[in-house]
Short mmCIF file of all heavy atoms in Angstrom, two decimals:
data_model
loop_
_atom_site.label_atom_id
_atom_site.label_comp_id
_atom_site.label_asym_id
_atom_site.label_seq_id
_atom_site.Cartn_x
_atom_site.Cartn_y
_atom_site.Cartn_z
N MET K 1 1.73 -2.13 -22.98
CA MET K 1 1.36 -3.42 -23.78
C MET K 1 2.44 -4.37 -23.67
O MET K 1 3.60 -4.10 -23.95
CB MET K 1 1.22 -2.84 -25.24
CG MET K 1 0.16 -1.81 -25.51
SD MET K 1 -1.54 -2.13 -24.78
CE MET K 1 -1.89 -3.59 -25.82
N THR K 2 2.10 -5.56 -23.28
CA THR K 2 3.10 -6.60 -23.12
C THR K 2 3.34 -7.24 -24.43
O THR K 2 2.68 -6.96 -25.44
CB THR K 2 2.50 -7.74 -22.16
OG1 THR K 2 1.35 -8.31 -22.79
CG2 THR K 2 2.18 -7.07 -20.94
N ALA K 3 4.41 -7.98 -24.51
CA ALA K 3 4.77 -8.67 -25.68
C ALA K 3 3.67 -9.52 -26.30
O ALA K 3 3.53 -9.77 -27.46
CB ALA K 3 6.03 -9.55 -25.53
N LYS K 4 2.79 -10.02 -25.44
CA LYS K 4 1.66 -10.92 -25.89
C LYS K 4 0.39 -10.13 -26.13
O LYS K 4 -0.67 -10.65 -26.28
CB LYS K 4 1.42 -12.01 -24.76
CG LYS K 4 2.58 -12.95 -24.74
CD LYS K 4 2.30 -14.06 -23.75
CE LYS K 4 3.52 -15.08 -23.62
NZ LYS K 4 3.18 -16.15 -22.79
N GLY K 5 0.47 -8.78 -26.07
CA GLY K 5 -0.67 -8.01 -26.37
C GLY K 5 -1.60 -7.74 -25.26
O GLY K 5 -2.68 -7.22 -25.35
N GLY K 6 -1.25 -8.12 -24.04
CA GLY K 6 -2.19 -7.88 -22.87
C GLY K 6 -1.91 -6.57 -22.22
O GLY K 6 -1.10 -5.67 -22.68
N ARG K 7 -2.69 -6.32 -21.23
CA ARG K 7 -2.60 -5.01 -20.45
C ARG K 7 -2.00 -5.30 -19.18
O ARG K 7 -2.34 -6.21 -18.43
CB ARG K 7 -3.97 -4.44 -20.34
CG ARG K 7 -4.61 -4.03 -21.63
CD ARG K 7 -6.08 -3.73 -21.41
NE ARG K 7 -6.34 -2.48 -20.67
CZ ARG K 7 -6.30 -1.29 -21.04
NH1 ARG K 7 -6.21 -1.13 -22.36
NH2 ARG K 7 -6.54 -0.19 -20.30
N GLU K 8 -1.01 -4.41 -18.81
CA GLU K 8 -0.37 -4.64 -17.50
C GLU K 8 -0.22 -3.33 -16.82
O GLU K 8 0.34 -2.30 -17.38
CB GLU K 8 1.07 -5.20 -17.74
CG GLU K 8 1.85 -5.38 -16.48
CD GLU K 8 3.30 -5.84 -16.79
OE1 GLU K 8 3.66 -5.98 -17.99
OE2 GLU K 8 4.06 -6.06 -15.80
N SER K 9 -0.70 -3.07 -15.62
CA SER K 9 -0.61 -1.88 -14.96
C SER K 9 0.80 -1.67 -14.44
O SER K 9 1.56 -2.54 -14.11
CB SER K 9 -1.60 -1.80 -13.72
OG SER K 9 -1.23 -2.81 -12.88
N LEU K 10 1.27 -0.34 -14.65
CA LEU K 10 2.66 -0.02 -14.31
C LEU K 10 2.79 0.29 -12.80
O LEU K 10 1.79 0.46 -12.07
CB LEU K 10 3.11 1.07 -15.14
CG LEU K 10 3.34 0.74 -16.63
CD1 LEU K 10 3.70 2.02 -17.43
CD2 LEU K 10 4.33 -0.40 -16.79
N PRO K 11 4.04 0.36 -12.25
CA PRO K 11 4.30 0.34 -10.84
C PRO K 11 3.56 1.43 -10.10
O PRO K 11 2.97 1.21 -9.00
CB PRO K 11 5.82 0.53 -10.80
CG PRO K 11 6.28 -0.15 -12.01
CD PRO K 11 5.36 0.12 -13.05
N MET K 12 3.47 2.63 -10.60
CA MET K 12 2.78 3.70 -9.87
C MET K 12 1.28 3.54 -9.72
O MET K 12 0.71 4.03 -8.75
CB MET K 12 3.13 5.12 -10.48
CG MET K 12 4.60 5.61 -10.24
SD MET K 12 5.03 5.63 -8.51
CE MET K 12 3.96 7.07 -7.93
N GLN K 13 0.73 2.84 -10.77
CA GLN K 13 -0.65 2.63 -10.63
C GLN K 13 -1.03 1.49 -9.62
O GLN K 13 -2.16 1.39 -9.29
CB GLN K 13 -1.19 2.22 -12.00
CG GLN K 13 -1.50 3.41 -12.97
CD GLN K 13 -0.13 4.11 -13.35
OE1 GLN K 13 0.85 3.49 -13.74
NE2 GLN K 13 -0.12 5.36 -13.13
N ARG K 14 0.00 0.87 -9.20
CA ARG K 14 -0.28 -0.15 -8.09
C ARG K 14 0.26 0.50 -6.83
O ARG K 14 -0.24 0.16 -5.70
CB ARG K 14 0.55 -1.45 -8.38
CG ARG K 14 -0.10 -2.32 -9.46
CD ARG K 14 0.70 -3.46 -9.97
NE ARG K 14 1.63 -3.04 -10.92
CZ ARG K 14 2.83 -3.57 -11.18
NH1 ARG K 14 3.30 -4.54 -10.38
NH2 ARG K 14 3.61 -3.12 -12.14
N PHE K 15 1.21 1.35 -6.86
CA PHE K 15 1.77 1.97 -5.68
C PHE K 15 0.80 2.81 -4.93
O PHE K 15 0.57 2.80 -3.74
CB PHE K 15 3.01 2.90 -6.01
CG PHE K 15 3.57 3.65 -4.88
CD1 PHE K 15 4.54 2.97 -4.15
CD2 PHE K 15 3.25 4.91 -4.69
CE1 PHE K 15 5.13 3.75 -3.08
CE2 PHE K 15 3.72 5.61 -3.65
CZ PHE K 15 4.76 4.96 -2.81
N VAL K 16 -0.09 3.65 -5.75
CA VAL K 16 -0.94 4.52 -5.14
C VAL K 16 -2.02 3.94 -4.27
O VAL K 16 -2.30 4.20 -3.15
CB VAL K 16 -1.59 5.48 -6.23
CG1 VAL K 16 -2.67 6.35 -5.60
CG2 VAL K 16 -0.49 6.34 -6.84
N PRO K 17 -2.79 2.83 -4.86
CA PRO K 17 -3.80 2.12 -3.94
C PRO K 17 -3.18 1.45 -2.74
O PRO K 17 -3.74 1.52 -1.66
CB PRO K 17 -4.37 1.05 -4.86
CG PRO K 17 -4.07 1.57 -6.28
CD PRO K 17 -2.82 2.27 -6.19
N LEU K 18 -1.94 0.85 -2.92
CA LEU K 18 -1.26 0.20 -1.79
C LEU K 18 -0.79 1.19 -0.69
O LEU K 18 -0.53 0.77 0.43
CB LEU K 18 -0.15 -0.70 -2.29
CG LEU K 18 -0.50 -1.78 -3.31
CD1 LEU K 18 0.70 -2.49 -3.70
CD2 LEU K 18 -1.51 -2.80 -2.57
N LEU K 19 -0.62 2.40 -1.09
CA LEU K 19 -0.27 3.42 -0.13
C LEU K 19 -1.18 3.65 1.08
O LEU K 19 -0.81 4.08 2.12
CB LEU K 19 -0.19 4.84 -0.91
CG LEU K 19 0.62 5.96 -0.19
CD1 LEU K 19 2.15 5.49 -0.01
CD2 LEU K 19 0.69 7.15 -1.13
N LEU K 20 -2.45 3.24 0.88
CA LEU K 20 -3.41 3.23 1.93
C LEU K 20 -3.06 2.46 3.14
O LEU K 20 -3.30 2.76 4.31
CB LEU K 20 -4.74 2.85 1.38
CG LEU K 20 -6.03 2.99 2.38
CD1 LEU K 20 -6.12 4.29 2.97
CD2 LEU K 20 -7.27 2.57 1.66
N ILE K 21 -2.34 1.21 2.82
CA ILE K 21 -1.77 0.42 3.95
C ILE K 21 -0.80 1.19 4.74
O ILE K 21 -0.73 1.04 5.99
CB ILE K 21 -1.24 -0.82 3.36
CG1 ILE K 21 -2.29 -1.66 2.65
CG2 ILE K 21 -0.66 -1.74 4.46
CD1 ILE K 21 -1.78 -2.89 1.79
N PHE K 22 0.11 1.91 4.06
CA PHE K 22 1.13 2.63 4.75
C PHE K 22 0.60 3.72 5.65
O PHE K 22 0.97 3.97 6.81
CB PHE K 22 2.17 3.32 3.76
CG PHE K 22 3.18 4.13 4.39
CD1 PHE K 22 4.18 3.56 5.19
CD2 PHE K 22 3.12 5.51 4.20
CE1 PHE K 22 5.10 4.38 5.80
CE2 PHE K 22 4.08 6.36 4.72
CZ PHE K 22 5.14 5.81 5.55
N PHE K 23 -0.52 4.41 5.15
CA PHE K 23 -1.12 5.50 5.91
C PHE K 23 -1.80 4.90 7.08
O PHE K 23 -1.83 5.44 8.22
CB PHE K 23 -2.03 6.26 5.09
CG PHE K 23 -1.41 7.29 4.12
CD1 PHE K 23 -1.88 7.33 2.81
CD2 PHE K 23 -0.35 7.99 4.49
CE1 PHE K 23 -1.32 8.35 1.93
CE2 PHE K 23 0.27 8.91 3.64
CZ PHE K 23 -0.24 9.01 2.34
N LEU K 24 -2.47 3.82 7.08
CA LEU K 24 -3.07 3.16 8.13
C LEU K 24 -1.95 2.80 9.16
O LEU K 24 -2.13 3.02 10.39
CB LEU K 24 -3.82 1.91 7.75
CG LEU K 24 -4.49 1.18 8.95
CD1 LEU K 24 -5.66 1.97 9.42
CD2 LEU K 24 -4.80 -0.25 8.63
N TRP K 25 -0.82 2.21 8.69
CA TRP K 25 0.23 1.94 9.66
C TRP K 25 0.71 3.19 10.36
O TRP K 25 0.99 3.15 11.58
CB TRP K 25 1.45 1.35 8.82
CG TRP K 25 2.57 0.89 9.66
CD1 TRP K 25 2.73 -0.31 10.34
CD2 TRP K 25 3.80 1.70 9.92
NE1 TRP K 25 3.95 -0.27 11.01
CE2 TRP K 25 4.65 0.86 10.71
CE3 TRP K 25 4.24 2.85 9.39
CZ2 TRP K 25 5.87 1.33 11.08
CZ3 TRP K 25 5.49 3.36 9.86
CH2 TRP K 25 6.34 2.53 10.65
N LEU K 26 0.77 4.28 9.79
CA LEU K 26 1.22 5.52 10.39
C LEU K 26 0.24 5.89 11.49
O LEU K 26 0.69 6.46 12.54
CB LEU K 26 1.31 6.71 9.33
CG LEU K 26 2.51 6.74 8.40
CD1 LEU K 26 2.44 7.93 7.50
CD2 LEU K 26 3.72 6.71 9.22
N THR K 27 -1.05 5.69 11.29
CA THR K 27 -2.06 6.10 12.31
C THR K 27 -1.94 5.29 13.53
O THR K 27 -2.49 5.73 14.61
CB THR K 27 -3.48 6.01 11.72
OG1 THR K 27 -3.82 4.73 11.44
CG2 THR K 27 -3.62 6.96 10.47
N VAL K 28 -1.36 4.12 13.51
CA VAL K 28 -1.29 3.34 14.75
C VAL K 28 -0.05 3.63 15.62
O VAL K 28 -0.04 3.24 16.79
CB VAL K 28 -1.36 1.73 14.48
CG1 VAL K 28 -2.65 1.43 13.66
CG2 VAL K 28 -0.09 1.28 13.73
N LEU K 29 0.96 4.30 15.04
CA LEU K 29 2.11 4.62 15.71
C LEU K 29 1.83 5.51 16.96
O LEU K 29 2.49 5.21 17.96
CB LEU K 29 3.09 5.27 14.76
CG LEU K 29 3.71 4.43 13.71
CD1 LEU K 29 4.77 5.19 12.96
CD2 LEU K 29 4.32 3.17 14.23
N PRO K 30 0.98 6.45 16.93
CA PRO K 30 0.72 7.19 18.20
C PRO K 30 -0.39 6.58 19.00
O PRO K 30 -0.98 7.23 19.91
CB PRO K 30 0.25 8.61 17.54
CG PRO K 30 -0.34 8.31 16.28
CD PRO K 30 0.38 7.13 15.82
N GLY K 31 -0.75 5.32 18.79
CA GLY K 31 -1.80 4.67 19.55
C GLY K 31 -1.31 4.22 21.02
O GLY K 31 -0.18 4.45 21.39
N PRO K 32 -2.22 3.51 21.69
CA PRO K 32 -1.95 3.23 23.13
C PRO K 32 -1.00 2.08 23.27
O PRO K 32 -0.38 1.93 24.37
CB PRO K 32 -3.29 2.81 23.61
CG PRO K 32 -4.04 2.31 22.42
CD PRO K 32 -3.69 3.17 21.24
N THR K 33 -0.79 1.18 22.26
CA THR K 33 0.16 0.00 22.44
C THR K 33 0.30 -0.54 21.09
O THR K 33 -0.21 -0.10 20.07
CB THR K 33 -0.50 -0.95 23.42
OG1 THR K 33 0.54 -1.88 23.72
CG2 THR K 33 -1.69 -1.61 22.88
N TYR K 34 1.02 -1.68 21.01
CA TYR K 34 1.21 -2.42 19.73
C TYR K 34 0.54 -3.78 19.95
O TYR K 34 0.88 -4.54 20.72
CB TYR K 34 2.69 -2.53 19.36
CG TYR K 34 3.51 -3.13 20.38
CD1 TYR K 34 3.89 -4.45 20.43
CD2 TYR K 34 4.18 -2.31 21.34
CE1 TYR K 34 4.63 -5.03 21.43
CE2 TYR K 34 5.00 -2.85 22.36
CZ TYR K 34 5.31 -4.17 22.39
OH TYR K 34 6.08 -4.78 23.30
N LEU K 35 -0.49 -3.98 19.06
CA LEU K 35 -1.22 -5.33 19.09
C LEU K 35 -1.40 -5.68 17.63
O LEU K 35 -1.66 -4.88 16.76
CB LEU K 35 -2.49 -5.17 19.79
CG LEU K 35 -2.43 -5.16 21.32
CD1 LEU K 35 -3.82 -4.82 21.95
CD2 LEU K 35 -1.95 -6.38 21.93
N VAL K 36 -1.50 -7.00 17.47
CA VAL K 36 -1.70 -7.53 16.12
C VAL K 36 -3.04 -7.01 15.47
O VAL K 36 -3.15 -6.71 14.38
CB VAL K 36 -1.77 -9.14 16.16
CG1 VAL K 36 -2.37 -9.68 14.90
CG2 VAL K 36 -0.41 -9.68 16.45
N ARG K 37 -4.09 -6.89 16.34
CA ARG K 37 -5.42 -6.56 15.80
C ARG K 37 -5.45 -5.11 15.15
O ARG K 37 -6.24 -4.87 14.33
CB ARG K 37 -6.46 -6.66 16.89
CG ARG K 37 -6.36 -5.55 18.01
CD ARG K 37 -7.39 -5.94 19.16
NE ARG K 37 -7.53 -4.93 20.17
CZ ARG K 37 -8.60 -4.09 20.15
NH1 ARG K 37 -9.48 -4.05 19.29
NH2 ARG K 37 -8.64 -3.18 21.24
#
């Protein structure tokens, strides 16, 4: 609860969904090359 009475998600509740980006990055490391796409 913020000082103004709002709701604010805490760090781990944002960390877990964003972790999917890191896992995707891991899957490209054993790929055939490095490309932007």
Side-chain angles (χ1 to χ4, degrees):
M1 302 306 293
T2 64
K4 296 184 179 181
R7 294 168 68 87
E8 178 186 3
S9 62
L10 289 180
M12 286 305 291
Q13 280 65 54
R14 287 170 274 152
F15 177 86
V16 176
L18 298 175
L19 196 60
L20 184 53
I21 299 173
F22 175 70
F23 284 139
L24 179 75
W25 180 84
L26 283 179
T27 65
V28 301
L29 294 183
T33 188
Y34 54 92
L35 285 172
V36 167
R37 70 188 187 101

